[in-house]
Amino acid sequence: SIFDINIPTSELLKRIGLNVPDYRIIDGATILLTPDQLTILNEKAPYLIAMATTDISELDLQNSELFNSEQTMSIPSPTDEPVVGVIDTMFDNSVYFSEWVTFQDKVDSEIPIERSDYEHGTAVSSLIVDGSSINPELDDGCGRFRVRHFGVALHSKTSSFVILKQIEEIIKSNRDIKVWNLSLGSKFQINDNFVSPEAAIIDKIQYENDVIFIIAGTNKVESEIEKIGAPADSINSLVVNSINSKKEKASYSRKGPVLSFFTKPDISYYGGDIEKKIKVYTGNKEKLVMGTSYAAPWIARKMAYLINILGLSREVAKALIINSATTWEENKIENSFFIGHGIVPIKIEDILKTKNDEITFILTGTSERYDTYTYNLPIPVVKDKHPFIAKATLCYFPACKRNQGVDYTTTELDISFGRIKENSIETINNNFQTLEGNHMYEGNARIFFRKWDNVKHIREVYKKGTRSKKAYDKGLWGISLKTKERLDEKHGRGIKFGIVVTLKEIDGVNRIEEFIRNCFLRGWLVNKLDVVNQVEIYNKAEEIISFDD
């Protein structure tokens, strides 16, 4: 990758004697060079080189074992189910669910393909299509999904550059797909000082397109490898690590953070381990497997349900998934390196339905100016006090610049949430970054308030003896998002965001109807997320209507 000096890359390279065709240039700054070409660049213009990495990626695919089952699997024909995109190794069309998968082979026809090149990709698609039938104990209630499967890699060494070019073309040619599963990952660990080219391209795709990637957190295949591998350092993606059946980090887990700051993985889910593996289907056999590759598809199913069936934005869907994984306990940093924000519940209803003593509401919109805010949230008051503790999760998809190193994201949305006191917000996490007269060093802002992170989760900790808070003035709460930019281009203007807020009633009382009534009285338009109604709307919208001649 070279620095941007406002000269077209191909022209710049010609000036120093390198003739590099356009198909070997990605994103205007990342170039595939031969060793001889790299030597020339090093000799004539070393100051142009921002960073370099080897192109050959060794995938971290886990071994699997056959599972002797007498059960004969069957599946009805697909109808109008949502489509999930899968970018992986090859797909075996002999499986029982092949009618549900549309497969495109993207590997060069001159490259020989072995039988083992079909196993990983087929196993991943089996979980997305019919995972609940294959693993009844992990039935998430999401139903089945159709898959558009693109075979871009083999099980052995492969070219990252070729895969990146293909991913860009695949997304542009399949704009109807919103959720993409990518369970391929490098066995080498990420760099502490810059994001991988793979992750940077995927982040750029998500900034420019209304899509989200669900990426496996990669597996430890060598004892000296500790940190996650590319492309699990993608900031905009939802990165998934594995836990075992005891809800502990898996034996093969690798850890974050990314750039010594960004929380990766984002969340964790069941990916199998030595004592209890995940069942998948490849060829005409069930297999027992373990790996982050098989945790990610379960989250892809949930995201597809939230986005395609319930009609939620990707920002809100991502915030809901992360918020559902969090608890009311204090977050242990070392544990978050492996688990992320927490473990996502198995059932989709546990993500969508609140507990009897909790209130969850969603706010979504776009940032058009420096301060986007509301000071008009009527949280219930009991005897002049709010009997609640609160947590909130904010998600957005910023533009990212790889050549900025650790200053990777270009836009910051700073969230303040809490009670309104004298026309200002008394935040639940004591966020005073933008208050007049206050000063905070950048390093502390990152540590305490996740400045420049595109996922922010703030919470109050529930402890025995937690007391109600004083209700000021009219008992209103507020949320403020302040937009900050690194660059002059103003990438944050018009950026979409999703916020999920959960309030826990410390006395265990159900106050949801009181909250809804208060919202109506203060002019809010309240839409309940009725799952049954949304499913019916989706089914009606997908019906094929035949007109009589």
Side-chain angles (χ1 to χ4, degrees):
S1 295
I2 63 173
F3 289 108
D4 182 7
I5 59 172
N6 295 320
I7 297 176
T9 299
S10 56
E11 179 185 333
L12 181 64
L13 294 174
K14 286 179 182 177
R15 292 185 186 182
I16 58 175
L18 291 175
N19 188 16
V20 179
D22 288 341
Y23 69 82
R24 284 168 53 188
I25 301 173
I26 293 180
D27 197 23
T30 301
I31 316 154
L32 180 63
L33 298 177
T34 65
D36 290 341
Q37 290 173 325
L38 182 59
T39 300
I40 294 172
L41 181 60
N42 267 318
E43 290 175 350
K44 294 189 175 182
Y47 48 84
L48 288 177
I49 302 175
M51 59 204 83
T53 182
T54 180
D55 177 53
I56 301 300
S57 292
E58 290 189 45
L59 303 182
D60 69 338
L61 310 182
Q62 289 276 10
N63 294 327
S64 60
E65 60 186 65
L66 285 174
F67 171 66
N68 294 321
S69 174
E70 297 179 357
Q71 182 181 7
T72 301
M73 300 296 292
S74 63
I75 191 171
S77 296
T79 54
D80 56 4
E81 292 81 4
V83 178
V84 175
V86 171
I87 298 173
D88 214 286
T89 62
M90 300 296 104
F91 177 75
D92 186 349
N93 279 308
S94 69
V95 292
Y96 76 94
F97 57 90
S98 61
E99 192 180 359
W100 287 69
V101 180
T102 302
F103 174 55
Q104 293 186 33
D105 183 352
K106 294 291 185 176
V107 174
D108 193 306
S109 59
E110 295 183 4
I111 298 177
I113 298 178
E114 302 174 3
R115 184 69 225 158
S116 54
D117 294 323
Y118 290 87
E119 292 187 359
H120 187 267
T122 307
V124 167
S125 282
S126 75
L127 293 177
I128 293 177
V129 172
D130 205 23
S132 296
S133 299
I134 302 172
N135 299 271
E137 71 279 7
L138 294 176
D139 184 1
D140 50 20
C142 295
R144 295 186 175 99
F145 296 89
R146 291 177 291 160
V147 166
R148 209 170 294 165
H149 187 123
F150 300 88
V152 300
L154 306 180
H155 77 286
S156 56
K157 294 183 179 180
T158 189
S159 167
S160 294
F161 192 89
V162 171
I163 292 177
L164 291 179
K165 292 288 283 188
Q166 289 175 336
I167 288 177
E168 278 195 303
E169 294 168 2
I170 288 169
I171 300 302
K172 290 177 182 178
S173 303
N174 296 271
R175 295 190 181 276
D176 58 313
I177 298 178
K178 302 298 182 183
V179 179
W180 291 88
N181 187 96
L182 185 58
S183 287
L184 300 176
S186 172
K187 75 176 226 180
F188 304 111
Q189 62 184 18
I190 57 175
N191 191 290
D192 289 335
N193 300 312
F194 55 81
V195 165
S196 67
E198 296 94 326
I201 291 295
I202 291 170
D203 284 336
K204 178 176 179 288
I205 289 172
Q206 290 174 103
Y207 171 70
E208 295 176 348
N209 301 274
D210 185 23
V211 299
I212 184 168
F213 278 78
I214 314 301
I215 294 180
T218 65
N219 312 309
K220 181 189 285 189
V221 292
E222 295 178 5
S223 58
E224 65 270 18
I225 298 294
E226 292 290 337
K227 300 198 73 173
I228 56 178
D233 52 338
S234 166
I235 301 304
N236 281 331
S237 301
L238 189 58
V239 179
V240 187
N241 245 16
S242 284
I243 54 167
N244 59 27
S245 58
K246 298 176 183 177
K247 296 187 176 182
E248 302 166 336
K249 70 181 180 70
S251 60
Y252 48 83
S253 290
R254 293 159 74 174
K255 66 179 182 178
V258 170
L259 300 179
S260 303
F261 168 68
F262 292 99
T263 300
K264 293 291 170 180
D266 292 285
I267 42 94
S268 291
Y269 200 71
Y270 303 91
D273 211 339
I274 296 171
E275 86 289 348
K276 186 177 178 59
K277 298 184 178 181
I278 298 290
K279 291 179 188 176
V280 296
Y281 216 94
T282 63
N284 57 359
K285 294 283 187 181
E286 279 188 345
K287 289 193 174 182
L288 292 175
V289 297
M290 60 182 188
T292 57
S293 291
Y294 312 109
W298 295 102
I299 302 301
R301 289 169 53 84
K302 289 177 168 63
M303 287 296 295
Y305 188 92
L306 295 174
I307 293 173
N308 295 99
I309 294 179
L310 297 189
L312 301 177
S313 69
R314 60 174 181 166
E315 291 81 9
V316 168
K318 183 178 179 181
L320 267 175
I321 290 283
I322 293 175
N323 195 69
S324 72
T326 62
T327 67
W328 295 104
E329 300 172 359
E330 189 170 359
N331 198 22
K332 296 180 180 178
I333 295 177
E334 180 60 33
N335 193 48
S336 71
F337 288 167
F338 291 96
I339 303 296
H341 291 282
I343 301 167
V344 178
I346 293 175
K347 296 289 186 182
I348 191 69
E349 65 182 32
D350 291 332
I351 296 173
L352 295 169
K353 293 184 179 179
T354 56
K355 296 178 181 178
N356 190 58
D357 62 345
E358 293 181 357
I359 298 170
T360 295
F361 59 92
I362 297 167
L363 295 172
T364 185
T366 58
S367 170
E368 298 293 350
R369 53 182 65 88
Y370 170 68
D371 194 4
T372 303
Y373 64 90
T374 176
Y375 292 169
N376 194 28
L377 294 171
I379 308 302
V381 176
V382 179
K383 296 180 180 179
D384 298 323
K385 293 184 177 181
H386 297 291
F388 296 98
I389 57 172
K391 63 180 180 179
T393 304
L394 164 70
C395 290
Y396 59 99
F397 291 74
C400 302
K401 297 290 184 180
R402 184 169 178 256
N403 59 9
Q404 291 181 181
V406 295
D407 295 333
Y408 182 59
T409 53
T410 64
T411 300
E412 154 74 355
L413 293 187
D414 172 28
I415 182 171
S416 297
F417 170 59
R419 293 170 291 166
I420 298 298
K421 182 182 180 181
E422 298 176 356
N423 294 320
S424 65
I425 298 176
E426 188 168 291
T427 61
I428 65 172
N429 63 334
N430 195 30
N431 183 359
F432 54 85
Q433 291 179 79
T434 55
L435 294 181
E436 188 175 345
N438 284 281
H439 173 75
M440 173 168 282
Y441 290 108
E442 183 81 1
N444 289 333
R446 286 194 170 203
I447 293 171
F448 296 113
F449 305 118
R450 308 303 302 164
K451 187 176 181 182
W452 301 109
D453 197 342
N454 63 327
V455 174
K456 291 184 174 65
H457 177 73
I458 58 176
R459 72 177 117 177
E460 294 176 295
V461 177
Y462 180 74
K463 299 178 180 178
K464 189 176 181 179
T466 298
R467 297 182 179 182
S468 301
K469 305 180 185 71
K470 181 180 179 181
Y472 299 116
D473 193 14
K474 299 176 183 178
L476 297 175
W477 288 41
I479 289 181
S480 169
L481 293 181
K482 291 185 170 60
T483 305
K484 306 166 188 177
E485 302 279 5
R486 290 192 198 275
L487 307 175
D488 294 333
E489 289 92 332
K490 305 297 181 184
H491 291 107
R493 185 171 296 158
I495 196 169
K496 296 179 180 179
F497 62 83
I499 304 173
V500 176
V501 177
T502 301
L503 306 169
K504 180 178 176 62
E505 221 279 0
I506 60 177
D507 298 317
V509 180
N510 186 336
R511 300 191 186 277
I512 182 66
E513 293 302 328
E514 180 183 354
F515 174 66
I516 293 174
R517 184 174 64 252
N518 290 348
C519 287
F520 277 126
L521 291 174
R522 297 203 67 85
W524 284 94
L525 295 176
V526 180
N527 296 314
K528 290 186 180 181
L529 188 58
D530 189 324
V531 175
V532 174
N533 187 49
Q534 287 297 124
V535 171
E536 289 180 358
I537 291 173
Y538 172 82
N539 290 335
K540 286 289 184 184
E542 296 298 318
E543 280 185 1
I544 297 176
I545 301 174
S546 298
F547 294 95
D548 295 332
D549 292 335

